[in-house]
Amino acid sequence: MNILQTEDTICAIATAQGGAIGTIRVSGPEAITLTDRIFKPVSGKPLAERAPYTLTFGHILTPEGEIIDEVLVSLFRAPHSYTGQDSTEISCHGSSYILQQVMQLLIRQGCRAAGPGEYTQRAFLNGKMDLSQAEAVADLIASTSAATHRMAMNQMRGGFSRELAVLRDKLLHLTSLMELELDFSDHEELEFADRSELEDIARQIEQVIHHLVDTFSVGNALKNGVPVAIVGETNAGKSTLLNALLNEERAIVSDIHGTTRDVIEDTMNLGGITFRFIDTAGIRETTDTIESLGIERSFQKLDQADIVLWVIDVTYAEEQYRQLADKILPRCEGKHLVIVFNKADLLSSADVNTAVSTDVQLTRLKTALPDLPEDACVLSLSAKQKEGLSQLQKQLVDFAALPDLSQNDVVVSNIRHYEALSRALEAIHRVQDGLAMQLSGDLVSQDLRECLYHLGEIVGGTIETDEVLGNIFKHFCIGK
């Protein structure tokens, strides 16, 4: 698909399969004319002679006059439509046969089947929304919780764009002061702004960009799930714990050491927060090439996680802790660590009840483990018996500590936006350094223009190539 090929008239099924009603969207210069060729109103004028924003009842007909379905057609005229072009929406019965027949009739008349995201892409190219708002459409469709819905809705309504517009205005003001200083540098008697004022404006800009960059950790966690790595030795019960948390047989469980050789990921919702659990290959010394690759990926996933569940077989607790402490603990700095003593059902005592015995033995274990981080959470459970899971789930929710968001909160959740903001932050830092070191205005202005450029990347002001836009829209669903 050529993303700049907006003169074609396109059509697509815009509703999910299996519903009672199905909708086909048509957009482009000939959308109304081509729809008229297959649609006959029950009474009155053809669509081309009707007012916009009206519904017309009628029939979809084959060239031979056979009725395919009774439908309602919504009419929109440019530029007041989703895409900014003439558009129609045909609402018919949800039969896949009917929908395909209508699509075929439209294509025979000259329509082209739309590609993924092509309607939203046309809305962007026709100035109906900026690029960040267009990307929010896909996020809104994919939202699975109240928080992700609020984030996407705020961005689609322009909350993020307005924040960037304020930043852009401040940057342009700062740039104009610097340019004036350059233009009239030979007039020493003229002073447009002293360096302290410029530094103050740059500091305000830096604070806003820095705040937006910092929100990405929350936004990414809300959108993709808080990453939780489940690590430990082979046969400690990592896969059993994953299955118990998800309440399904997601991972293969076996008494054979090294069963899990690659990472397994799945998500679940706890307390309104999405967690992305990552079951990793058991960590041990091995000469097996495939298992070694799996162990290497285990460490990669551990590094990427916000929360680490180190699963230890409680019957070999001290041994397993000592063997892996130097490999796991250094990688857990800055993360939430939960040491999970698994197989607690195997702890027993002949002269006291099991619960008391478990507590006593766990207390003894905690004091026996060397270099145990003070901020690490230590708990016991039986993944096999599904005992003690509620305590772990509560701890995960406490560690996530994600804020409640309103539709007015601006949170960055898109990796492309985060990268552009990070580059803009580096540029404004160079501006601050340049002002502090009394560098010439032309050098400082170059960094200001670079900061403006990276902010423009987010809303699409500097996006010009088919390749970049195509990469953004290719992940949209057909019909949107």
Side-chain angles (χ1 to χ4, degrees):
M1 175 184 68
N2 181 350
I3 66 154
L4 298 179
Q5 191 176 349
T6 58
E7 294 308 308
D8 290 350
T9 297
I10 56 175
C11 60
I13 300 171
T15 46
Q17 188 174 355
I21 302 297
T23 301
I24 292 175
R25 308 178 84 180
V26 187
S27 179
E30 296 187 273
I32 300 172
T33 300
L34 297 183
T35 305
D36 256 334
R37 292 179 186 174
I38 68 167
F39 173 71
K40 183 178 180 180
V42 168
S43 62
K45 300 174 288 187
L47 294 173
E49 299 176 17
R50 292 179 182 264
Y53 321 118
T54 56
L55 282 173
T56 304
F57 176 66
H59 298 106
I60 297 293
L61 303 174
T62 67
E64 295 75 29
E66 178 186 354
I67 295 177
I68 299 297
D69 197 14
E70 293 183 340
V71 303
L72 283 172
V73 177
S74 308
L75 179 64
F76 306 90
R77 295 189 185 276
H80 305 295
S81 70
Y82 180 76
T83 61
Q85 300 176 310
D86 285 348
S87 302
T88 62
E89 292 186 0
I90 304 170
S91 298
C92 52
H93 292 93
S95 158
S96 59
Y97 171 78
I98 292 173
L99 290 167
Q100 290 300 328
Q101 287 296 304
V102 177
M103 283 289 294
Q104 289 176 28
L105 288 172
L106 286 167
I107 290 171
R108 285 179 197 152
Q109 294 301 325
C111 280
R112 172 173 62 79
E118 194 166 0
Y119 291 91
T120 305
Q121 173 189 292
R122 290 188 175 199
F124 163 68
L125 293 172
N126 289 326
K128 302 298 291 184
M129 59 181 70
D130 65 37
L131 197 55
S132 70
Q133 291 173 295
E135 289 169 301
V137 174
D139 289 342
L140 189 63
I141 294 170
S143 61
T144 56
S145 66
T148 53
H149 173 266
R150 290 191 197 102
M151 278 198 308
M153 184 60 72
N154 174 270
Q155 187 172 320
M156 195 176 75
R157 292 170 60 203
F160 187 29
S161 302
R162 286 191 292 273
E163 191 88 9
L164 293 176
V166 172
L167 269 177
R168 184 176 180 274
D169 288 344
K170 288 184 177 180
L171 277 165
L172 287 173
H173 177 59
L174 184 54
T175 303
S176 65
L177 291 175
M178 296 300 301
E179 297 291 347
L180 281 171
E181 184 181 278
L182 285 171
D183 291 341
F184 295 93
S185 57
D186 54 338
H187 295 270
E188 295 181 1
E189 73 279 5
L190 296 177
E191 183 176 332
F192 298 94
D194 59 30
R195 286 290 169 123
S196 62
E197 180 183 348
L198 298 177
E199 289 172 358
D200 182 59
I201 297 172
R203 183 170 57 254
Q204 294 174 27
I205 295 169
E206 189 273 341
Q207 288 174 348
V208 175
I209 298 177
H210 195 284
H211 169 72
L212 290 173
V213 169
D214 285 346
T215 66
F216 179 71
S217 59
V218 172
N220 187 53
L222 289 171
K223 182 177 178 180
N224 300 311
V226 178
V228 181
I230 306 175
V231 301
E233 279 203 25
T234 57
N235 252 27
K238 300 182 299 299
S239 296
T240 304
L241 178 59
L242 175 68
N243 290 341
L245 287 167
L246 299 176
N247 200 29
E248 64 173 290
E249 297 300 311
R250 181 67 177 82
I252 297 174
V253 175
S254 169
D255 291 334
I256 302 172
H257 287 261
T259 302
T260 303
R261 296 192 168 200
D262 201 355
V263 296
I264 299 172
E265 298 190 25
D266 211 334
T267 60
M268 73 173 299
N269 190 287
L270 295 173
I273 300 171
T274 300
F275 289 87
R276 178 160 46 88
F277 292 102
I278 309 160
D279 181 23
T280 64
I283 302 170
R284 65 169 178 170
E285 296 296 330
T286 180
T287 58
D288 186 299
T289 303
I290 302 300
E291 188 176 355
S292 296
L293 289 173
I295 293 171
E296 185 179 334
R297 290 187 182 183
S298 297
F299 287 120
Q300 291 173 357
K301 293 299 181 180
L302 192 160
D303 292 338
Q304 296 168 11
D306 291 341
I307 301 174
V308 177
L309 303 185
W310 180 4
V311 182
I312 296 176
D313 184 338
V314 73
T315 59
Y316 301 98
E318 291 186 53
E319 176 186 342
Q320 291 192 359
Y321 182 87
R322 292 176 190 274
Q323 287 178 346
L324 295 184
D326 61 337
K327 295 182 177 69
I328 291 179
L329 292 182
R331 295 173 180 267
C332 292
E333 292 185 11
K335 305 178 187 295
H336 295 294
L337 172 63
V338 183
I339 295 179
V340 180
F341 288 124
N342 189 27
K343 306 182 182 181
D345 53 306
L346 299 181
L347 290 177
S348 61
S349 174
D351 55 347
V352 292
N353 66 67
T354 302
V356 173
S357 172
T358 300
D359 290 341
V360 170
Q361 294 188 50
L362 285 174
T363 301
R364 188 183 305 126
L365 277 173
K366 291 179 186 178
T367 57
L369 300 181
D371 304 320
L372 183 68
E374 291 184 7
D375 56 349
C377 170
V378 181
L379 52 85
S380 67
L381 53 79
S382 171
K384 184 176 182 180
Q385 302 297 330
K386 297 185 178 180
E387 296 173 354
L389 291 178
S390 59
Q391 183 184 358
L392 174 59
Q393 291 171 342
K394 181 180 183 302
Q395 189 62 62
L396 289 171
V397 172
D398 290 344
F399 275 158
L402 296 178
D404 293 328
L405 299 179
S406 71
Q407 286 193 0
N408 295 321
D409 291 323
V410 177
V411 178
V412 177
S413 62
N414 185 303
I415 185 65
R416 190 183 70 82
H417 301 169
Y418 170 73
E419 290 174 347
L421 284 167
S422 297
R423 289 190 290 267
L425 186 60
E426 292 173 2
I428 199 65
H429 281 158
R430 290 195 297 272
V431 169
Q432 291 178 295
D433 292 342
L435 291 172
M437 292 186 292
Q438 300 292 314
L439 293 182
S440 64
D442 55 341
L443 295 176
V444 177
S445 292
Q446 177 59 37
D447 289 322
L448 279 171
R449 284 191 288 270
E450 187 174 334
C451 186
L452 275 166
Y453 172 83
H454 292 309
L455 294 180
E457 285 183 307
I458 297 173
V459 295
T462 57
I463 298 291
E464 298 173 352
T465 67
D466 285 12
E467 181 181 358
V468 175
L469 284 177
N471 184 60
I472 290 170
F473 287 104
K474 72 180 181 182
H475 300 295
F476 277 60
C477 54
I478 300 291
K480 196 63 181 177

